[in-house]
Structure formats: structure tokens, C-alpha cells
Amino acid sequence: MRIALVYPPTSELNLKGYPLGLAYLSASLKRRHKVDIYNYNGCEFRKSLSSFFSSVKQTKPDVVGVSFNSFNRWGAYKIIKGVKKINKDIIVVLGGVHPSTMYGQMFEYFYDHIDFIIQSDGEEPFYQLCNALESGKDYKNISGLVYKDGNKSFKANSVTEKVINLDDLAMPDYSYASRRIKDTGFAYLITSRGCPVNCSFCSTSSFWGQNIRMNSPERVGGGGGLC
Ligand code: B12
Ligand code: SF4
């Protein structure tokens, strides 16, 4: 399948960063699928949206995966509303902290515009979903999947399969950010997921789990590349 992964722009924060979630998802999906990445973090709002919609028209993806947090949700909403206007058969999947936590609201607002939401770690569930859609197999048991169940209702599977050992994940695919890495002279990496504390204002424990999973020192420092 051809999958477009997009990180929507925000009109409020102008960080020229690149989200690591896309790099991890891409590495996982590329085991079987073709992936195009569109990172609009720190890019001009309107231009980014029109550039994305032109690319969708041109490249005709089977699936659009929208990755967002609360601060770039307005850009995400524009994208969500636009994709099925281009082609109603494109499957729209949401993931990241905001839709994962607010999946009820997402289905309430965008029932006709979205197909699936994946909660928490996305690598394996998204890969399994794309494989199932491609081969016409059942997807209803995928861990953390939220899917439509007819007549404006939906079902949310519990997150039953987390990545226990982060070293098992494919090395993140930073290819989409190589230009920014060269220009800025630095690169991001992340070496753990979760937190044993549970501060009321923070989503980390509810999203990743109230425990901590870490990469090994060998994976972080010994890979000869970015972890
Ligand atoms: C690193 C980081 C930063 C870095 C960003 C560097 C970069 N690479 O761009 C810096 C320090 C710059 C930063 C800034 C900010 N951050 Co910050 N940041 C983080 C942090 C610690 C890790 C993010 C990360 O890289 N995760 C690793 C990747 C692999 O995970 P992921 O992106 O979530 O993706 C996974 C899943 O979500 C899922 N997934 C993601 N997208 C999709 C899409 C689909 C279709 C599917 C199926 C699945 C899926 O699969 C991925 C792989 O498992 C998180 C907290 C945390 N531990 O998660 C906060 C966090 C994301 N940040 C947060 C905030 C608020 C901000 C700021 C707004 C702070 C501020 N007021 O300025 C700014 C925003 C700047 C911006 N425009 O991006 C909040 C967001 C909360 C919310 N509800 O939106 C978080 C969650 C912290 C918190 N717990 O409150 N941040
Ligand atoms: S719950 Fe969030 S804010 Fe509190 S210690 Fe953990 S990561 Fe930090």
C-alpha cells in the first residue's frame, strides 16, 4: 500500500523540528509498504495545507496517517476534513498524543472523515492494520485500535500489546529529515518511553504507561547511527 504520513502545521509555534514518531512509524511500515512523509512542523500554515493536498492528488495514497499533539490539532482538523474530499476511498488513520487520548471527541467531530485511531505505541498496530487492509483480513483485534462500529458508534480496543523491549523496534527512518539535520547541525533522539510518576497536567504516563521502558546503552551509543 502507499501510505502518506503527515505532521500538520501549527500557526502558533514555529519550531523547525522534526517529529520522531514519523521516523519510527516509517521504519516499521517500510518493511512492506511505500511511505511518503510530510513534516510541516515550523512551516507556514496555509501553504503547508495546500502543498499537502496537492501531493495527495498527485501521489494517490491508499492511507493517510495523521500524527498530532494538541498544539497542532487545528492543522490536523483541516487535513482530516480535506482528505476524503479528494478521494473518499482514502483510509484516514489518526495517531499521536491528542487523538489517542481524545478518541471519543475525534469520532464525535469527524465521524465521516476518519476511519481509525491507534492509541499509544503505533509501530506494530499501524503495520498490522495496513497489512490487514491490504489483504482484506480482520483488523478488529489489533491492540489499541479504535474503529467504527456502524451507525455513528465506535469500539476502542484496550492497549494489550506494548513494545516491551524498545531495542526490538526498527531503527527510525530519518531520511525525511536529512536536510534539516544537515542545515541545523543537530539531530534528535529519544531513548525511553513512559514515566513512573503521574503528574496531573502531563499525558506521559497515561499515554506510554506508568512505568519506564528504555533502550539499551548499546543501541543508543553503539549503533553507529541515530537511535
Ligand atoms: C521531544 C519532545 C519535544 C521536543 C520536540 C523535538 C522534535 N523532535 O520535534 C521539543 C523539546 C522541541 C518539544 C517542544 C514542545 N512540546 Co514536546 N515533547 C517531547 C516528548 C518528550 C517526546 C516526543 C517524542 O519524540 N516521542 C517519541 C515518538 C516515537 O513518539 P510519538 O511522536 O508520540 O509517536 C508515537 C505514537 O504517538 C504513535 N503515533 C504518532 N503519530 C501517529 C500517527 C499515526 C497515523 C499512528 C497510527 C500512530 C502515531 O506512534 C509513534 C511511535 O510509537 C513528548 C513527551 C513524550 N514522552 O512523549 C513531549 C510532548 C509531545 N510535548 C508537548 C508539548 C506541550 C510541547 C510544546 C507545545 C511545549 C511548549 N509549550 O512550547 C512544544 C511544541 C513544539 C513543536 N512545535 O513541536 C506535550 C504535548 C501534549 C499534548 N497534549 O499535545 C508532550 C506529550 C509532553 C507532555 N506529556 O505534556 N517537545
Ligand atoms: S508525569 Fe510527566 S511531568 Fe511528571 S515526572 Fe513524569 S514526564 Fe515529568
Side-chain angles (χ1 to χ4, degrees), residues 18 41 67 69-71 95-96 122-123 188 193 202-204 207-208:
Y18 54 91
N41 200 1
S67 172
N69 295 304
S70 303
F71 52 80
E123 291 89 348
Y188 297 104
R193 293 182 181 185
C202 175
S203 60
T204 292
F207 184 78
W208 294 114

Side-chain angles (χ1 to χ4, degrees), residues 5-7 10 13-22 24-25 41-42 64-72 93-98 100-101 117-123 125-126 129 163 169 188-190 192-194 201-205 207-208:
L5 291 178
V6 57
Y7 191 84
T10 158
L13 291 149
N14 193 25
L15 180 84
K16 289 248 175 259
Y18 54 91
L20 297 180
L22 298 184
Y24 278 87
L25 292 171
N41 200 1
V64 168
V66 192
S67 172
F68 60 108
N69 295 304
S70 303
F71 52 80
N72 64 337
V93 186
L94 313 183
V97 172
H98 191 84
S100 181
T101 314
I117 296 177
I118 287 172
Q119 307 166 75
S120 195
D121 301 49
E123 291 89 348
F126 197 17
L129 176 66
V163 185
L169 292 171
Y188 297 104
L189 57 83
I190 191 157
S192 67
R193 293 182 181 185
F201 53 82
C202 175
S203 60
T204 292
S205 308
F207 184 78
W208 294 114

Side-chain angles (χ1 to χ4, degrees), residues 23-73:
Y24 278 87
L25 292 171
S26 171
S28 176
L29 294 168
K30 275 186 174 171
R31 288 179 286 169
R32 180 158 156 183
H33 305 281
K34 177 159 179 31
V35 180
D36 302 301
I37 297 190
Y38 303 91
N39 169 30
Y40 297 114
N41 200 1
C43 300
E44 209 271 314
F45 194 79
R46 279 171 197 280
K47 258 195 209 158
S48 304
L49 296 175
S50 62
S51 155
F52 179 67
F53 292 134
S54 310
S55 301
V56 169
K57 283 177 195 153
Q58 213 183 332
T59 59
K60 302 185 177 26
D62 304 292
V63 176
V64 168
V66 192
S67 172
F68 60 108
N69 295 304
S70 303
F71 52 80
N72 64 337
R73 68 188 183 283

